[in-house]
Amino acid sequence: VGLDAIWPRVIGLVVQPGIGLNYSLNDRMAVHASAGRTMATSSGNGNFRANHVGLGLTYRFSVPSW
């Protein structure tokens, strides 16, 4: 059994627009949020659409001193 039986070859276009925001808490920490939508068309079985959101924490370990 080849991989084509498990994952058939599908050709299509994928677009993933999104927007994000980064908010600094201090010199080393920040929080970030993002949201977007994934849209895809395929040659096989139609279209795919999904919304996505993300939240995270950023920590800067070091800053170059030049």
Side-chain angles (χ1 to χ4, degrees), residues 10-64:
V10 178
I11 299 172
L13 176 69
V14 176
V15 178
Q16 191 174 15
I19 190 166
L21 178 67
N22 195 22
Y23 180 76
S24 295
L25 300 173
N26 56 38
D27 288 343
R28 293 198 176 261
M29 295 191 73
V31 293
H32 60 268
S34 63
R37 184 170 176 97
T38 301
M39 299 168 282
T41 61
S42 72
S43 60
N45 59 357
N47 298 326
F48 171 79
R49 289 191 170 94
N51 297 322
H52 52 88
V53 295
L55 297 172
L57 182 65
T58 303
Y59 182 79
R60 185 182 299 180
F61 288 100
S62 65
V63 179

